[in-house]
Amino acid sequence: MISVDNIQKSFGEKEILKGVDLTIQQGDVAVIIGPSGTGKTTLLRCMNGLEKADGGNIRIDNVSYDYKKSSRKQLLALRRKTAMVFQHYNLFKNKTALENVTEGLITVQKISKTDAVQTAKQQLKSVGLAGKEDSYPHQLSGGQQQRVGIARALALNPSVILFDEPTSSLDPELVGEVLSVMKQVARRGITMVVVTHEMSFAQTIANQVVFMEGGKIIERGSPRDIFTAPKQAATKRFLDCVYQPFVYQI
């Protein structure tokens, strides 16, 4: 289980996160939506320690981290519980797809090269990239590069994978292949927290939809609740701008 409690974060005079609370059950897919600049990415980066929050705490499984009191050792333990898929892929340009996936296994988890290569090949195959192990990022499409990023995250066997707008840098024709792989990951029961502007994807994959605005969580609920009967005016305004209704069939 993931528990986020009163996370606060400012950059200079600008307050980005204003006391965010969030609970996500093991195996759930939580999708965070909301206007640009409202703190969604900052929240993800605080959840895995890439950004140091000014206050609050987070707990993932048996690892708890208080941003004002905990040690660097506890921060590293938190990071090992997570893996992140970035908006701009963040692949090593001078390494092959296989090497990009094995890098963290060898250098961080201290796994033998033989075992790391075996794991990397399995995960690249699972995202549809068998045969691309020796390709460099510049030889891959944007969708393929993002799938390498997903394979890299899966290989670390984290408690939760954090996805930061994973399709926003892709050409429209490549978005579907990445979303399809993410649906496969969700079906494996892996806990996921996804920041996205893909509303139709959010309503089909999520257990919980979280709407953020102005550094706060304004509303949360099931996809049906949020997309068909939002309670807050801010949620309604946002969805009126970005969402094309989907008809549920039972």
Side-chain angles (χ1 to χ4, degrees), residues 229-248:
K231 295 182 175 63
Q232 301 300 319
T235 313
K236 294 177 183 178
R237 286 195 302 270
F238 174 76
L239 292 175
D240 283 344
C241 293
V242 303
Y243 171 63
Q244 295 298 320
F246 173 89
V247 178
Y248 279 88

Side-chain angles (χ1 to χ4, degrees), residues 118-171:
Q118 182 179 359
T119 297
K121 286 182 176 180
Q122 290 172 346
Q123 296 302 343
L124 286 169
K125 181 179 180 181
S126 77
V127 299
L129 291 178
K132 296 291 186 180
E133 293 88 352
D134 296 327
S135 298
Y136 288 88
H138 75 272
Q139 297 172 313
L140 301 171
S141 70
Q144 289 171 329
Q145 290 183 62
Q146 193 60 289
R147 284 189 278 153
V148 173
I150 295 172
R152 177 177 58 188
L154 289 168
L156 295 171
N157 193 30
S159 294
V160 57
I161 301 180
L162 310 172
F163 293 83
D164 181 20
E165 299 191 24
T167 62
S168 64
S169 295
L170 299 176
D171 293 332

Side-chain angles (χ1 to χ4, degrees), residues 51-220:
E51 291 286 355
K52 190 176 188 301
D54 301 321
N57 59 73
I58 180 171
R59 183 179 183 88
I60 301 178
D61 296 340
N62 61 339
V63 174
S64 183
Y65 184 78
D66 186 307
Y67 281 97
K68 287 188 175 180
K69 300 177 182 178
S70 296
S71 66
R72 178 167 175 78
K73 182 178 180 181
Q74 288 170 295
L75 175 61
L76 293 174
L78 176 70
R79 285 180 177 168
R80 291 191 181 102
K81 288 286 184 179
T82 71
M84 194 155 181
V85 177
F86 297 90
Q87 179 177 350
H88 298 292
Y89 323 138
N90 284 32
L91 301 181
F92 295 106
K93 303 301 183 184
N94 63 336
K95 294 183 183 293
T96 65
L98 184 72
E99 291 168 337
N100 266 282
V101 179
T102 60
E103 180 71 18
L105 295 173
I106 295 170
T107 61
V108 177
Q109 295 192 350
K110 308 302 182 184
I111 294 173
S112 72
K113 184 175 181 179
T114 298
D115 289 342
V117 167
Q118 182 179 359
T119 297
K121 286 182 176 180
Q122 290 172 346
Q123 296 302 343
L124 286 169
K125 181 179 180 181
S126 77
V127 299
L129 291 178
K132 296 291 186 180
E133 293 88 352
D134 296 327
S135 298
Y136 288 88
H138 75 272
Q139 297 172 313
L140 301 171
S141 70
Q144 289 171 329
Q145 290 183 62
Q146 193 60 289
R147 284 189 278 153
V148 173
I150 295 172
R152 177 177 58 188
L154 289 168
L156 295 171
N157 193 30
S159 294
V160 57
I161 301 180
L162 310 172
F163 293 83
D164 181 20
E165 299 191 24
T167 62
S168 64
S169 295
L170 299 176
D171 293 332
E173 66 271 18
L174 301 177
V175 170
E177 67 184 61
V178 172
L179 296 181
S180 177
V181 168
M182 291 175 65
K183 288 179 181 179
Q184 294 173 28
V185 173
R187 286 195 288 269
R188 290 163 65 171
I190 297 171
T191 307
M192 300 164 59
V193 184
V194 184
V195 170
T196 186
H197 292 292
E198 300 285 343
M199 296 298 114
S200 60
F201 174 73
Q203 70 180 134
T204 57
I205 193 175
N207 303 102
Q208 177 181 189
V209 177
V210 178
F211 174 70
M212 286 186 67
E213 186 177 71
K216 297 180 179 180
I217 291 177
I218 304 300
E219 187 170 358
R220 73 193 79 186

